[in-house]
Each structure stands twice: as structure tokens, then as C-alpha cells.
Amino acid sequence: MNYEELMHKAIEASKQAYCPYSKFPVGACILTESGNTYIGCNYENSSFGMTICAERNAIGTAIVNGDKKVKAVAIYSPNQDNCTPCGACRQVLHEFCNYDNDMDIIVKIGNELKVYTLAELLPESFSL
């Protein structure tokens, strides 16, 4: 699957976001080492600490399906170009990196895709 297709799935997932408080929908699509893709969207709660980001939602779906090694993730919000993962999501993504201990993070800037590595976005990450 190419990164354009991953982004398309992230865009579609963002349309399902439940974000009545922030009005900031986000969709994510992860690609695992096995070649499977999983989507997620953010969903909020009036107890803000219980809000779940799109990336963590997609990771949870992958885990429950037996996929625990992520190769790439596309993240999209119609409200912001260059919608990179928050700090908590960066750490969770790091926990499920592929065997090279890195992954591609794909975001949209205008009509173009930009690809970061997780190592760029989370240098000196915590790991056991």
C-alpha cells in the first residue's frame, strides 16, 4: 500500500471523529509489518483526560487483531496542515515500532505529503 492510499484512509477516518469540545477531528491509518492497515479517529470525553487520539485508537485496533509492529502511520486533520502526533502518541507509536525501531509518519501539507521518521519527532525516546 502506498502512502497516498494510507492518507486517503486517514482522511476518511477523520470524518468519523467525535470531537464536540475541541472541534478538531483527526484520522489515522497505520500500516503494520504484516501489510494490514487499521484506522482510528479521535474521540473526546467531557472528562478531557479520557479523550483518545486517532493514532492510539488505530494502534489499539491493530493490537486486538494481533498486529504489534507498525511500519507507518498517516495522520490527518482538516483543521491543520502538518498534523503530527502529540507527545503521548509519539511514545505509544515508539512502543510498537517495526523491527528497525523506527516508522514513517505521513502528514499532509497542502496537497503534498510530508514523511517524517518517528526518530525525528521523538529523539532520545524512552525504551526498555
Side-chain angles (χ1 to χ4, degrees), residues 26-104:
V26 180
C29 180
I30 62 170
L31 171 65
T32 62
E33 284 286 317
S34 65
N36 293 324
T37 60
Y38 301 94
I39 59 170
C41 63
N42 59 319
Y43 59 92
E44 298 176 344
N45 189 283
S46 59
S47 176
F48 295 128
M50 297 181 71
T51 294
I52 299 296
C53 296
E55 301 92 307
R56 287 183 280 150
N57 187 340
I59 289 281
T61 303
I63 291 167
V64 78
N65 282 283
D67 271 335
K68 295 180 180 77
K69 293 294 178 183
V70 177
K71 219 172 140 170
V73 59
I75 305 161
Y76 173 80
S77 174
N79 294 6
Q80 177 182 325
D81 274 356
N82 201 28
C83 186
T84 60
C86 71
C89 286
R90 291 175 193 204
Q91 185 60 44
V92 169
L93 289 167
H94 176 70
E95 186 76 16
F96 297 98
C97 281
N98 67 9
Y99 296 103
D100 296 333
N101 206 26
D102 207 358
M103 72 177 66
D104 286 341

